[in-house]
């Protein structure tokens, strides 16, 4: 029995245990996430945009994002949940994207109830929300367009981030699940986890719940599970680590006018070659080369 990536993501969302999706922004970071056996990959809008030289406000086109996520799918076997922002337009843009994601082996999409173009949730206050009906249309369009029965559509509720409050978050989550969303992501930018924990308890597992503890990283796994939350997304940590490491090595090499000091502290060239199995090419060359 083959378990597909969409089945694996579905099992993570609906299973008893707590699953963790780790951020990746290209094929290399996706490969490293898989190496550490995370349950899946969060293909982050923020970090993919940044890596391409764009800001997180839909400056990158949907096809640019699709091309990146395809390279991530090509080199991994674990499920990928794509941050689909607000769907890159209206319901029709959502349909196009979902069909392509199914073709390219992406396991799910997360759609946020914000207007297009979106703005990163952690920027500024009181961001506008999409109208509930309009967003429900996007959810329905996504579900009706998937060509893999197990593909997951996650509805991201921005009511807490935008200051609209808990009752509005509950009202929206209820509408989105009625429209067919497989799960809800409740986002918060508080430094305490109280808000998402309260949401989890009130929601009481009506659908699976995902959280993104960027601003409240100290939340404990027991607390998360007790609140009925099934998946945690570490949304940007690989990109932030890469920025710090690159700055550190640039600083050291530049100051010392030598790479001797950093030599033992960074990945070897052998490790780089190994990541994408250079040895396989040598074996293939024996078989097919001249
Ligand atoms: C992302 O990783 O792009 C997210 C999470 O959407 S956040 O940056 O917190 O909005
Ligand atoms: Mg995003």
């Amino acid at each position: 029995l083959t378990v597909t990536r969409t089945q694996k993501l579905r099992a993570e969302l609906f299973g008893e245990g707590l699953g963790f999706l780790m951020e990746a922004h290209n094929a290399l970071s996706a490969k490293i996430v898989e190496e550490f056996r995370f349950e899946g990959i969060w293909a982050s809008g923020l970090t993919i945009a940044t890596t391409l030289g764009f800001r997180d406000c839909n400056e990158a086109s949907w096809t640019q994002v699709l091309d990146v996520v395809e390279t991530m799918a090509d080199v991994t076997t674990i499920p990928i949940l794509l941050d689909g922002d607000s769907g890159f337009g209206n319901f029709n843009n959502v349909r196009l994207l979902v069909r392509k994601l199914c073709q390219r082996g992406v396991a799910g999409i997360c759609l946020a109830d914000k207007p297009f173009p979106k703005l990163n949730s952690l920027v500024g206050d009181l961001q506008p929300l999409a109208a509930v009906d309009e967003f429900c249309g996007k959810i329905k369009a996504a579900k009706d367009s998937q060509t893999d029965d197990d593909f997951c559509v996650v509805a991201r509720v921005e009511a807490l981030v935008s200051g609209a409050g808990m009752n509005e978050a509950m009202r929206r989550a209820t509408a989105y699940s009625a429209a067919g969303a497989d799960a809800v992501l409740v986002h918060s930018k508080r430094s305490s986890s109280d808000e998402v924990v309260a949401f989890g308890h009130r929601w009481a597992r009506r659908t699976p719940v995902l959280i993104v503890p960027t601003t409240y990283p100290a939340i404990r796994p027991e607390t998360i599970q007790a609140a009925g939350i099934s998946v945690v997304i570490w949304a940007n940590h690989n990109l932030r680590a890469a920025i710090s490491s690159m700055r550190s090595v640039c600083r050291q090499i530049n100051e010392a006018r030598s790479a001797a000091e950093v030599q033992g502290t960074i990945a070897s060239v052998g490790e780089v070659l190994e990541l994408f199995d250079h040895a396989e090419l040598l074996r293939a060359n024996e078989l097919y080369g001249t």
Side-chain angles (χ1 to χ4, degrees):
L1 186 82
T2 326
V3 179
T4 63
R5 296 199 224 221
T6 46
Q7 289 167 343
K8 284 187 206 163
L9 180 60
R10 191 160 277 281
E12 268 328 308
L13 287 169
F14 287 87
E16 283 296 301
L18 183 59
F20 293 87
L21 306 185
M22 180 68 177
E23 172 265 325
H25 45 273
N26 57 19
L28 172 64
S29 49
K31 187 80 178 166
I32 291 172
V33 171
E34 176 161 87
E35 184 183 326
F36 284 87
R37 299 180 187 280
F38 282 93
E39 281 75 27
I41 295 167
W42 169 246
S44 153
L46 170 66
T47 70
I48 290 174
T50 306
T51 310
L52 292 173
F54 292 118
R55 292 166 290 197
D56 187 19
C57 51
N58 293 128
E59 288 180 344
S61 74
W62 73 277
T63 52
Q64 284 176 304
V65 172
L66 182 69
D67 286 345
V68 171
V69 79
E70 182 179 21
T71 68
M72 293 163 58
D74 283 346
V75 301
T76 56
T77 59
I78 58 176
I80 301 174
L81 178 63
L82 174 69
D83 176 2
D85 292 340
S86 52
F88 298 92
N90 69 2
F91 74 90
N92 194 40
N93 301 86
V94 169
R95 295 196 299 187
L96 290 172
L97 178 57
V98 167
R99 278 189 219 122
K100 288 289 178 193
L101 293 177
C102 289
Q103 281 170 15
R104 297 183 188 196
V106 175
I109 188 170
C110 177
L111 293 168
D113 57 353
K114 299 215 287 203
F116 173 85
K118 55 74 55 96
L119 193 59
N120 184 274
S121 297
L122 307 179
V123 177
D125 288 314
L126 306 178
Q127 289 193 23
L129 297 176
V132 173
D133 283 358
E134 184 210 351
F135 189 66
C136 286
K138 287 183 180 177
I139 302 280
K140 285 188 192 136
K143 290 306 294 174
D144 287 343
S145 306
Q146 67 188 54
T147 53
D148 176 329
D149 288 346
D150 294 308
F151 184 84
C152 287
V153 175
V154 177
R156 169 166 162 177
V157 177
E158 288 284 301
L160 301 178
V161 167
S162 74
M166 186 62 74
N167 288 340
E168 183 64 8
M170 291 295 296
R171 183 177 85 90
R172 284 174 171 265
T174 303
Y176 305 160
S177 69
D182 297 287
V184 299
L185 185 158
V186 62
H187 203 14
S188 165
K189 59 177 182 182
R190 295 228 179 129
S191 56
S192 139
S193 60
D194 296 355
E195 222 173 31
V196 296
V197 167
F199 178 92
H201 284 292
R202 274 184 65 178
W203 188 248
R205 296 179 188 266
R206 284 161 57 188
T207 65
V209 176
L210 301 84
I211 58 167
V212 183
T214 300
T215 57
Y216 51 97
I219 188 169
R220 304 287 317 153
E222 314 82 76
T223 313
I224 300 172
Q225 278 201 288
I229 294 160
S230 61
V231 169
V232 170
I233 297 173
W234 302 119
N236 44 45
H237 299 75
N238 273 325
L239 184 74
R240 288 162 60 194
I243 292 171
S244 302
S245 300
M246 288 191 279
R247 284 199 165 130
S248 162
V249 81
C250 281
R251 185 178 303 115
Q252 286 181 72
I253 290 180
N254 189 38
E255 279 171 12
R257 297 261 170 257
S258 160
E261 271 178 43
V262 300
Q263 179 74 0
T265 68
I266 57 180
S268 68
V269 173
E271 280 175 79
V272 175
L273 296 176
E274 220 175 87
L275 266 165
F276 293 109
D277 200 3
H278 198 71
E280 189 280 333
L281 177 61
L282 302 181
R283 289 194 302 276
N285 198 42
E286 295 286 305
L287 267 178
Y288 311 120
T290 51

